[in-house]
């Protein structure tokens, strides 16, 4: 992002790290200062494409490429109306055609291809599917509300659990202090053997440490993630797949009923490559060789004259 610059004032992020680039519906960028100057008189146009702009349509640029920013904005706007789901169609092919139509519309708008007819298609679709669009918007809104409520419930449960753990740890610390003071008092005023007293309190301390090691059961959320004090149990365990015997490759034995196909060395030495295009540098870097294509062509030519032992 340091190499990016405002096309109007030529300020770069390298010279001004606090530079904020903003983008509008046309996809061209301006820095925040130039946007303020552009709308100083109340209205303005893009300095590059002269499209009339509105101040409230400018937003902070998130992607390095302004074209990506423009496509994301168009996609978000189109999907607000093209919100049908798979269960709104009779067949999967109809649904796939619908998705392909959406991508074509987004591509046309993002690349300024046939803008007028594309906008007419959008208006026609919105007019013909007004009820379905509204119904799906309501359904999406209801699902978002339910999800928000579920997340809030889970947050409250996690906060309650955290407070319980904090209170438990504080109680355990207080118990340690009380036990230590009791041991000191018993050593000072009791007539028992000091070794027995120390051993007795050492056993109590060991039991307390064992209790602290017992991790309470983690809280399981609707997303499948488990939260608790044990760091090793953050996610659900991956189911273990049953392992079978390892694969061992066995070369097939070929029985020839015709001429033996030439080997790779014969192809190289006996001028088989005279009429074969040589590989390029990029193809050679990928492991491709011209003798491979030649050998494959010869094998396919004699394919009906030899077969594997499994076919006998």
């Amino acid at each position: 992002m340091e190499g990016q610059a405002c096309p109007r004032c030529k300020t770069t992020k390298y010279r001004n790290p606090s530079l904020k680039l903003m983008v509008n519906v046309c996809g061209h960028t301006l820095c925040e200062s130039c946007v303020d100057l552009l709308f100083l008189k109340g209205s303005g146009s893009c300095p590059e494409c002269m499209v009339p702009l509105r101040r409230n349509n400018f937003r902070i640029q998130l992607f390095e490429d302004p074209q990506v920013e423009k496509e994301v904005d168009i996609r978000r706007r189109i999907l607000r109306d093209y919100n049908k789901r798979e269960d709104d169609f009779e067949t999967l092919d109809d649904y796939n055609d619908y998705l392909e139509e959406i991508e074509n519309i987004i591509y046309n708008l993002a690349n300024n291809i046939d803008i007028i007819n594309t906008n007419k298609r959008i208006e026609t679709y919105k007019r013909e599917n007004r009820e379905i669009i509204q119904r799906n918007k309501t359904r999406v809104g209801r699902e978002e509300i339910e999800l928000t409520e579920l997340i809030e419930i889970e947050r409250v449960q996690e906060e309650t659990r955290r407070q319980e753990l904090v209170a438990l740890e504080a109680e355990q610390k207080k118990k340690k202090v009380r036990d230590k003071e009791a041991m000191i008092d018993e050593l000072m005023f009791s007539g028992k053997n000091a070794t027995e007293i120390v051993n007795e309190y050492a056993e109590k301390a060991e039991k307390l440490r064992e209790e602290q090691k017992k991790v309470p059961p983690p809280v399981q959320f609707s997303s499948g993630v488990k939260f608790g004090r044990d760091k090793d149990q953050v996610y659900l365990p991956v189911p273990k797949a049953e392992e079978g015997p390892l694969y061992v490759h066995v070369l097939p034995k070929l029985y020839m009923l015709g001429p033996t196909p030439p080997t790779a060395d014969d192809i190289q030495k006996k001028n088989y490559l005279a009429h074969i295009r040589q590989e390029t540098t990029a193809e050679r870097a990928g492991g491709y060789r011209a003798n491979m294509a030649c050998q494959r062509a010869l094998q396919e030519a004699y394919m009906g004259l030899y077969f594997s032992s499994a076919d006998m």
Side-chain angles (χ1 to χ4, degrees):
M1 296 288 286
E2 290 184 355
Q4 286 192 309
C6 173
R8 191 168 183 268
C9 64
K10 309 302 181 184
T11 305
T12 65
K13 273 189 172 289
Y14 179 76
R15 288 185 293 178
N16 183 11
S18 62
L19 177 71
K20 290 184 180 180
L21 292 176
M22 306 187 74
V23 64
N24 206 298
V25 292
C26 64
H28 297 127
T29 56
L30 287 173
C31 70
E32 193 172 20
S33 301
C34 289
V35 171
D36 293 335
L37 291 174
L38 185 65
F39 291 95
L40 195 60
K41 297 181 180 180
S43 63
S45 301
C46 177
E48 295 192 32
C49 62
M50 302 307 295
V51 172
L53 302 176
R54 293 182 180 179
R55 179 67 178 85
N56 57 358
N57 285 339
F58 273 94
R59 63 194 183 280
I60 301 295
Q61 181 177 343
L62 299 178
F63 299 94
E64 185 175 356
D65 188 354
Q67 183 66 21
V68 175
E69 193 80 37
K70 178 181 178 181
E71 182 178 340
V72 170
D73 180 67
I74 292 172
R75 183 177 297 276
R76 186 184 299 114
R77 177 163 52 88
I78 294 300
L79 291 180
R80 277 200 293 263
D81 296 318
Y82 281 78
N83 56 5
K84 289 184 180 180
R85 301 188 178 187
E86 186 176 351
D87 51 8
D88 292 327
F89 297 89
E90 295 182 358
T91 63
L92 181 60
D93 290 338
D94 293 340
Y95 181 57
N96 290 333
D97 293 339
Y98 173 75
L99 296 179
E100 185 175 357
E101 181 184 3
I102 294 175
E103 295 302 321
N104 290 336
I105 291 174
I106 294 173
Y107 180 81
N108 289 347
L109 294 178
N111 295 278
N112 299 322
I113 300 173
D114 198 12
I115 298 293
I116 297 176
N117 291 330
T118 302
N119 286 326
K120 287 182 179 179
R121 286 170 58 189
I122 296 173
E123 292 301 323
T124 303
Y125 170 83
K126 291 167 65 175
R127 187 169 54 254
E128 294 176 351
N129 300 272
R130 185 178 292 107
E131 294 181 1
I132 298 177
I133 292 172
Q134 189 60 37
R135 185 191 65 195
N136 287 341
K137 282 183 178 180
T138 304
R139 181 167 59 180
V140 171
R142 186 168 57 250
E143 290 177 354
E144 288 180 352
I145 292 173
E146 292 175 355
L147 181 59
T148 304
E149 292 176 352
L150 183 60
I151 292 174
E152 180 62 21
I153 292 172
E154 292 175 348
R155 188 192 65 79
V156 172
Q157 291 177 348
E158 176 62 17
E159 180 63 22
T160 304
R161 186 61 182 162
R162 187 188 65 80
Q163 292 177 359
E164 291 176 355
L165 292 175
V166 170
L168 180 61
E169 290 176 357
E171 181 61 29
Q172 289 174 347
K173 287 180 180 179
K174 290 180 181 179
K175 191 173 185 305
K176 273 187 179 181
V177 174
R178 289 196 299 267
D179 290 344
K180 186 175 181 180
E181 292 176 350
M183 182 183 70
I184 294 174
D185 290 341
E186 194 167 351
L187 287 172
M188 291 176 62
F189 305 109
S190 174
K192 293 184 180 179
N193 189 320
T195 305
E196 294 179 358
I197 295 174
V198 171
N199 291 338
E200 181 182 347
Y201 279 92
E203 292 177 1
K204 289 182 179 180
E206 184 65 28
K207 289 181 180 179
L208 181 60
R209 281 195 293 270
E210 292 295 330
E211 290 178 359
Q212 291 177 351
K213 289 180 181 178
K214 293 179 181 178
V215 181
V219 179
Q220 182 171 352
F221 285 67
S222 59
S223 57
V225 180
K226 290 184 176 181
F227 290 93
R229 295 176 62 192
D230 192 352
K231 295 182 179 180
D232 297 332
Q233 296 182 354
V234 175
Y235 299 101
L236 291 175
V238 179
K240 187 177 180 181
E242 295 183 2
E243 298 181 358
L246 296 177
Y247 171 77
V248 179
H249 177 66
V250 179
L251 291 173
K253 185 177 181 180
L254 300 177
Y255 295 87
M256 310 298 178
L257 297 180
T260 303
T263 63
D265 292 337
D266 292 338
I267 291 174
Q268 195 72 31
K269 295 176 181 177
K270 295 183 179 181
N271 206 24
Y272 279 93
L273 302 177
H275 303 287
I276 302 296
R277 179 181 68 83
Q278 294 299 313
E279 68 274 6
T280 63
T281 304
E283 292 170 343
R284 179 179 289 272
Y288 172 81
R289 298 291 185 274
N291 59 347
M292 295 179 183
C294 182
Q295 188 177 26
R296 180 177 297 178
L298 291 171
Q299 289 177 349
E300 291 177 354
Y302 294 102
M303 187 174 291
L305 300 180
Y306 55 91
F307 46 87
S308 67
S309 59
D311 298 330
M312 297 188 63

